[in-house]
Amino acid sequence: MSQTAYQAVVATFTRIYRYEHLGSIAGWDQAAMMPSKGNDARGAAMAELGVLIHHTLTDSALAELINAAELGDLSTAEQASLREIKRQWEHANLLPASLIEAKTLVGSHCSHEWRTQRSNNDWQGFLQNFREVVRLSREEAQLLAKETGLSPYESLLNKYEPGMTCAELDRIFADVKSWLPGLISQAMEKQGTEQLIAATGSFAVEKQRALGLEVMALLGFDFEGGRLDVSNHPFCGGVPEDVRITTRYREDDFMQSMMGIVHETGHARYEQSLPRETVALPVGRARSMGIHESQSLSFEMQLGRNPAFLALISPLVKKHLGDQPAFEAANLAKMYTRVRPDFIRVDADELTYPAHVILRYEIERALIDGEIEADDVPALWDEKMQTYLGVDTKGNFKNGCMQDIHWTDGMIGYFPSYTLGAMYAAQYFATIRKLHPDLDERIAVGDLEPIFSWLNTNIWSQASQWETGELVRRATGESLNPAHFRKHLEQRYLA
């Protein structure tokens, strides 16, 4: 009976995955293709789908099947699968369907309106919707916290990074804040003595797209299982069998679209390489958003900004955008490692990026824990931007607190994943370099297989078989060690 019960649970979660498949493609279309007048109907449809998934997860019959399956003689793999099934099931049963529906509707409306409000620098218009997002996110956090014993913010953080605590984040980020400002200053001083040639000209979108597609192919993207499109905010969506990535283009600056594509291709390769035999089950999904971001940042930061990789793609840049001195390999490397504190997180250099993340973590935590209100965000944002990066954002909402899409639809608790991901990525590459001391030489001639093979063996194929800490220990021989991140930055920017 217990084995039969487990198979019945699998069948239910397979059905849920198919619902989620439709929802993910509808969400991609909403961001990339949907005409604006379709948003209200799309939001209602996605809310209805969310309620359907929630009802399926909270059906008492499923609870009985899970309990029966636990009594069975399950294999190690099945035990891991049931562990992840229970994690998702328990979370769903702590929240009412009415809240799921309300959050989906409010988030859909807020994120849709944000697309226009941001470009118009309309904080007051955005605030009207954002207050409701915050109210519902707090309601969700309180319900989860009451049952889990976590703080309200931690209860949201654990949706994206299971097992992570605020105490651990505070320890990690306090360490980063102790040495990052000095490292930024040293790097800028060093770079001030170096000659940098700026790229000149207008770069047509179709040429940037052609360059991006060729770089994606070099990075192993499967075009029969995914595609590249445009959205206001770059993202990777869809499902492992049909991965959708987006970027955004500026004709006066090719740099952001190309590296954005490299970043999203890292996400995509993870999704495309997850084990197909368990793709419909929670155990077959990405381990956490920190691990997911470690893949995009392995591609963007560890590989993409590596001088050897930039030398490899220099001919491609010239082929698509024209031959000019700025596109010589050595100059490209300087362009993509230039340290300059600025407004926009997704365009930030590798050194200042953690400051952007820490700032958002501190604000969203205070917001959910009730220490501040939505109205207080701009002033606190500007204060922290001044303190951490010396950048003035007063009155500049579109390049300040309105720049990211995450808060618009209630993805609060996600931001720490970016810097955790950068730390995991540095630790992976420290391990890969021990195995392949000639890694840079191999990258320079286009041999990226040592990287892809290691990631596939140790991360992609493992999906959620292991808890995060165990996954990282098995892959690298130790739990998360931020010292690898600092060493990487010092070697790249001060050596």
Side-chain angles (χ1 to χ4, degrees):
M1 167 61 185
S2 56
Q3 188 64 34
T4 303
Y6 175 75
Q7 293 305 323
V9 171
V10 168
T12 299
F13 273 81
T14 300
R15 187 164 70 252
I16 290 169
Y17 174 72
R18 290 168 181 162
Y19 295 155
E20 291 172 340
H21 182 159
L22 294 177
S24 65
I25 298 302
W28 161 82
D29 177 76
Q30 186 179 34
M33 302 290 286
M34 186 191 73
S36 61
K37 289 184 179 179
N39 191 69
D40 288 347
R42 181 62 53 83
M46 292 178 71
E48 190 73 34
L49 184 59
V51 170
L52 174 61
I53 292 170
H54 185 267
H55 281 163
T56 307
L57 276 168
T58 55
D59 190 322
S60 60
L62 178 59
E64 293 172 5
L65 288 171
I66 291 173
N67 289 335
E70 282 190 293
L71 301 175
D73 184 20
L74 301 179
S75 68
T76 300
E78 290 170 335
Q79 290 173 21
S81 177
L82 195 61
R83 180 197 71 219
E84 295 303 310
I85 283 170
K86 285 193 66 178
R87 188 199 303 278
Q88 187 172 339
W89 174 82
E90 287 169 352
H91 180 270
N93 278 272
L94 296 177
L95 301 175
S98 57
L99 179 59
I100 303 296
E101 181 177 27
K103 275 201 71 181
T104 305
L105 288 169
V106 167
S108 176
H109 179 71
C110 185
S111 59
H112 180 71
E113 294 296 307
W114 164 82
R115 288 169 169 81
T116 302
Q117 291 163 345
R118 184 192 173 213
S119 62
N120 293 335
N121 201 41
D122 180 12
W123 167 253
Q124 288 302 319
F126 175 72
L127 181 59
Q128 302 308 309
N129 298 322
F130 184 49
R131 287 193 186 112
E132 190 66 5
V133 171
V134 171
R135 183 185 72 78
L136 291 172
S137 296
R138 284 175 170 173
E139 183 179 337
E140 177 186 7
Q142 291 290 345
L143 286 170
L144 295 174
K146 180 180 178 181
E147 297 297 328
T148 62
L150 301 171
S151 73
Y153 179 75
E154 279 178 332
S155 70
L156 298 185
L157 172 68
N158 266 256
K159 289 167 55 179
Y160 306 104
E161 200 62 26
M164 181 55 65
T165 65
C166 287
E168 180 67 3
L169 277 181
D170 289 343
R171 182 189 67 80
I172 291 170
F173 289 163
D175 176 64
V176 172
K177 287 162 68 173
S178 73
W179 53 260
L180 185 62
L183 184 52
I184 291 172
S185 296
Q186 288 177 276
M188 291 178 67
E189 182 179 353
K190 179 176 182 289
Q191 291 180 356
T193 65
E194 300 172 350
Q195 182 179 6
L196 175 68
I197 303 170
T200 59
S202 178
F203 308 104
V205 168
E206 60 268 22
K207 293 182 178 180
Q208 293 188 57
R209 174 178 167 79
L211 169 62
L213 290 171
E214 195 158 355
V215 171
M216 288 169 67
L218 179 66
L219 293 172
F221 184 88
D222 178 5
F223 288 97
E224 293 185 356
R227 54 182 286 143
L228 170 68
D229 291 283
V230 178
S231 67
N232 283 2
H233 194 97
F235 70 91
C236 176
V239 291
E241 304 95 326
D242 182 7
V243 179
R244 309 299 177 91
I245 73 171
T246 70
T247 192
R248 58 189 179 195
Y249 299 99
R250 282 177 46 184
E251 293 199 342
D252 64 339
D253 179 12
F254 77 94
M255 292 179 64
Q256 66 169 262
S257 68
M258 189 180 81
M259 204 53 72
I261 286 171
V262 172
H263 178 101
E264 300 304 337
T265 301
H267 283 305
R269 286 296 312 273
Y270 188 14
E271 289 290 321
Q272 290 182 334
S273 304
L274 289 169
R276 286 295 187 270
E277 62 271 18
T278 55
V279 71
L281 301 176
V283 76
R285 312 286 177 81
R287 173 61 237 162
S288 73
M289 289 318 303
I291 297 299
H292 224 312
E293 293 300 342
S294 76
Q295 303 314 295
S296 60
L297 295 170
S298 286
F299 275 54
E300 179 192 356
M301 299 301 186
Q302 295 294 324
L303 175 59
R305 296 175 194 264
N306 184 315
F309 181 77
L310 291 164
L312 175 65
I313 66 170
S314 172
L316 301 181
V317 177
K318 294 177 183 178
K319 169 185 169 183
H320 292 285
L321 304 183
D323 192 352
Q324 58 174 282
F327 298 156
E328 295 299 328
N331 195 71
L332 267 183
K334 291 178 183 177
M335 291 170 67
Y336 275 108
T337 55
R338 199 69 173 176
V339 178
R340 184 170 69 92
D342 211 340
F343 297 106
I344 305 298
R345 174 188 61 84
V346 297
D347 299 333
D349 61 84
E350 188 177 20
L351 266 187
T352 61
Y353 195 102
H356 288 272
V357 171
I358 293 170
L359 174 153
R360 287 157 173 78
Y361 160 66
E362 292 173 346
I363 291 176
E364 68 179 16
R365 179 179 173 183
L367 197 59
I368 294 302
D369 287 346
E371 298 169 10
I372 63 170
E373 297 300 327
D375 305 60
D376 302 322
V377 169
L380 189 56
W381 185 286
D382 187 64
E383 175 189 320
K384 289 181 179 294
M385 283 292 285
Q386 290 277 14
T387 300
Y388 297 162
L389 293 172
V391 174
D392 182 1
T393 61
K394 286 188 179 70
N396 187 357
F397 306 109
K398 69 177 182 180
N399 292 325
C401 57
M402 287 178 67
Q403 67 181 265
D404 295 298
I405 199 170
H406 304 62
W407 290 345
T408 69
D409 59 1
M411 286 181 64
I412 298 174
Y414 188 111
F415 280 117
S417 300
Y418 289 110
T419 290
L420 291 173
M423 291 176 173
Y424 288 130
Q427 192 161 324
Y428 301 157
F429 270 72
T431 304
I432 295 170
R433 288 183 184 281
K434 287 180 182 177
L435 296 171
H436 303 282
D438 61 344
L439 184 63
D440 289 335
E441 289 80 3
R442 296 179 72 166
I443 291 172
V445 297
D447 180 9
L448 307 182
E449 188 55 31
I451 298 169
F452 300 153
S453 177
W454 189 92
L455 289 173
N456 184 59
T457 298
N458 293 284
I459 306 298
W460 301 342
S461 66
Q462 302 304 302
S464 285
Q465 180 179 358
W466 313 105
E467 301 274 11
T468 307
E470 181 64 15
L471 174 70
V472 175
R473 278 191 293 272
R474 285 172 172 266
T476 68
E478 59 180 329
S479 56
L480 176 62
N481 182 356
H484 292 292
F485 181 55
R486 180 177 182 178
K487 182 178 180 181
H488 157 70
L489 294 176
E490 290 174 342
Q491 288 180 337
R492 176 169 285 178
Y493 291 92
L494 298 185

